[in-house]
Amino acid sequence: MNARRWNLLTAASLIALILLGLAWELWLAPLRPGGSWLVLKILPLLGSLFGILRGRRYTHQWMSLLSLAYFTEGIVRATSDSGLSAQIAVVYTVLSVLLFLGSTFYSKYTAPSRLAAPAPDTQ
């Protein structure tokens, strides 16, 4: 896979994570009826959206670290919640793993040392 496809995977999983996080905390299975302040967990994801969509390597680098916090929340809530909330948490966990992989590999394939390296001989 080339860097462009990794960026597309990162952007798609980021947007899906934002939408799922909003729906989860406001309508689908909020901690309190009517929604909760936990919806604010989406703000760091929104802050990185334009950098990811523009393919900024630095944003991908710190997003790979931030995605681990969302992975942790997904695992904790998948094992401690029940019903719809636990099912949403499993999807949330999968999306955070895709976000991590996409941002990590995009960062790897757009490294200055990798871009400046000559093509290997294919003899």
Side-chain angles (χ1 to χ4, degrees):
M1 261 176 112
N2 62 11
R4 185 171 178 251
R5 290 186 185 187
W6 287 115
N7 189 41
L8 184 61
L9 174 67
T10 305
S13 58
L14 176 63
I15 292 168
L17 202 60
I18 290 169
L19 294 176
L20 182 62
L22 286 172
W24 187 8
E25 299 303 338
L26 293 177
W27 303 289
L28 298 176
L31 290 177
R32 291 187 175 84
S36 71
W37 284 100
L38 199 54
V39 74
L40 295 177
K41 68 184 175 189
I42 301 303
L43 290 178
L45 296 175
L46 287 173
S48 66
L49 184 60
F50 291 113
I52 296 293
L53 292 175
R54 291 183 179 129
R56 294 195 174 142
R57 185 169 186 266
Y58 181 74
T59 307
H60 280 79
Q61 288 173 326
W62 65 261
M63 180 49 68
S64 66
L65 297 173
L66 184 63
S67 66
L68 299 175
Y70 294 93
F71 172 79
T72 303
E73 182 199 6
I75 291 294
V76 168
R77 290 186 69 179
T79 57
S80 64
D81 290 0
S82 60
L84 180 60
S85 184
Q87 294 170 354
I88 294 171
V90 170
V91 175
Y92 200 75
T93 302
V94 170
L95 288 173
S96 67
V97 168
L98 292 175
L99 180 62
F100 174 78
L101 291 174
S103 58
T104 300
F105 281 106
Y106 181 82
S107 297
K108 175 183 175 182
Y109 289 121
T110 58
S113 60
R114 191 174 284 269
L115 296 175
D121 291 334
T122 57
Q123 294 178 358

